[in-house]
Amino acid sequence: MVYRYNRARRLSRTAYCLAFTLVELLVVIAIIGVLVALLLPAVQSAREAGRRSQCQNHLRQWGLAMQNMHSATGALPAGTKGGPRRVWVVLIWPYVEGGNIYAEFDQTVGFHGPPNTYVYTEDGTYASRAPIYYCPSDRPGAMWKGDPYWRARGNYNINWGNMADPYNPNDPVQNPDQGYAPFGLIDFQSYGMPRTSSFKHFTDGTSNTMLMSEVIVAADDFDFDIRGDFLNDGRPCHQYMTLNTPNTGIDISPYCHPTNYPNNPPCTNSGSQYAHKAARSRHPGGVQVLFADGHLEFISDSVALDVWRALGTMNGEEIVGSY
């Protein structure tokens, strides 16, 4: 009996010693919480680095397509073109491995008619969502469903320079004599007069002139907001302006409802006059920019405004400072 009793005491004492106290459990949980808090930013940073790298790759593809089109035709695509209505994306499809989409697109009708677009469906050519349209850091697969003509959105816009759309002749910054962007309008206001630029026009140098950058798409597909509506030739859907530095200022557009969608970038709905929007991205601290010579730069939000505006013109003869 004594043997059994002592053995039972030893077993119970052993079991008691193997258990954790409540304090020990709380300490372990606290340590795990601290480790997670330390590791999570690193994991998020690594993921963002991967997304940013993919975003850069998409811009490189657009840049290569621009170069190929220039080699084939002697000019860059027009930013917008009428009769029927088109934007630069459609014109450059054959040079960006979008030949199948280009072949399906009916060139004799507007983008809003079938088979290019079927109302209230994602069946039209314009609703085809190519990976190259999107920066993975934002909202891949985003659509425009703000009207019956559903279409893909996109994160990449062309450089419209220091001009609103249409330009404001009373603003000295928007003086065409001080230089203008590779994309725009011959008279800076008539969509029936698109400008097509050749690299010979880049007197500032192709390495000092931006071709494309990023924008943030609207937070909701059904939002009547032009941010990311890059297949539309409306104002200013497919372009960004250099009137404000990246990720700063308040965009001005006839197509935004800031009170209904506060998660969108700041915007003022002021009718159709002097619309413009800034380059924006989900990358912390700046935006990625494609230059005319094909190289990429990540430009900080804190870039000097005069430098940013100088990079927006192809013939302004400015001295570009460091950025």
Side-chain angles (χ1 to χ4, degrees), residues 136-181:
S137 296
D138 193 10
R139 197 162 69 85
M143 293 281 293
W144 167 279
K145 296 181 180 180
D147 60 28
Y149 310 106
W150 292 3
R151 51 193 178 265
R153 294 185 190 253
N155 287 105
Y156 305 107
N157 277 198
I158 53 175
N159 168 27
W160 209 256
N162 305 323
M163 304 286 175
D165 186 12
Y167 95 109
N168 183 355
N170 298 316
D171 181 1
V173 173
Q174 300 181 42
N175 182 355
D177 293 337
Q178 298 178 4
Y180 44 85

Side-chain angles (χ1 to χ4, degrees), residues 29-231:
I29 292 172
I31 292 172
I32 293 173
V34 171
L35 291 174
V36 170
L38 292 172
L39 290 174
L40 190 58
V43 172
Q44 291 175 334
S45 179
R47 288 178 176 173
E48 167 55 19
R51 291 190 292 262
R52 191 164 120 181
S53 177
Q54 186 63 46
C55 197
Q56 290 173 338
N57 184 53
H58 290 170
L59 269 174
R60 286 192 182 94
Q61 291 181 62
W62 287 118
L64 182 60
M66 293 276 189
Q67 298 283 342
N68 289 340
M69 181 175 186
H70 189 277
S71 296
T73 67
L76 296 169
T80 179
K81 187 177 181 181
R85 293 166 60 185
R86 299 284 181 273
V87 294
W88 65 273
V89 183
V90 176
L91 302 176
I92 211 169
W93 269 338
Y95 305 95
V96 72
E97 298 183 359
N100 292 337
I101 300 177
Y102 189 78
E104 294 172 2
F105 192 87
D106 190 339
Q107 301 290 338
T108 66
V109 301
F111 76 85
H112 52 282
N116 304 329
T117 303
Y118 294 96
V119 296
Y120 296 114
T121 76
E122 299 181 16
D123 297 332
T125 308
Y126 247 37
S128 299
R129 286 167 284 187
I132 194 176
Y133 290 174
Y134 304 104
C135 176
S137 296
D138 193 10
R139 197 162 69 85
M143 293 281 293
W144 167 279
K145 296 181 180 180
D147 60 28
Y149 310 106
W150 292 3
R151 51 193 178 265
R153 294 185 190 253
N155 287 105
Y156 305 107
N157 277 198
I158 53 175
N159 168 27
W160 209 256
N162 305 323
M163 304 286 175
D165 186 12
Y167 95 109
N168 183 355
N170 298 316
D171 181 1
V173 173
Q174 300 181 42
N175 182 355
D177 293 337
Q178 298 178 4
Y180 44 85
F183 303 98
L185 308 170
I186 292 176
D187 65 350
F188 308 101
Q189 59 186 353
S190 302
Y191 266 51
M193 302 174 64
R195 180 171 63 251
T196 55
S197 300
S198 170
F199 287 146
K200 66 184 180 182
H201 300 135
F202 287 60
T203 56
D204 290 348
T206 55
S207 62
N208 291 322
T209 307
M210 297 186 287
L211 281 187
M212 297 177 64
S213 188
E214 306 172 87
V215 297
I216 294 175
V217 304
D220 186 273
D221 285 351
F222 290 93
D223 182 1
F224 195 71
D225 189 302
I226 52 85
R227 267 76 69 87
D229 188 23
F230 80 149
L231 290 174

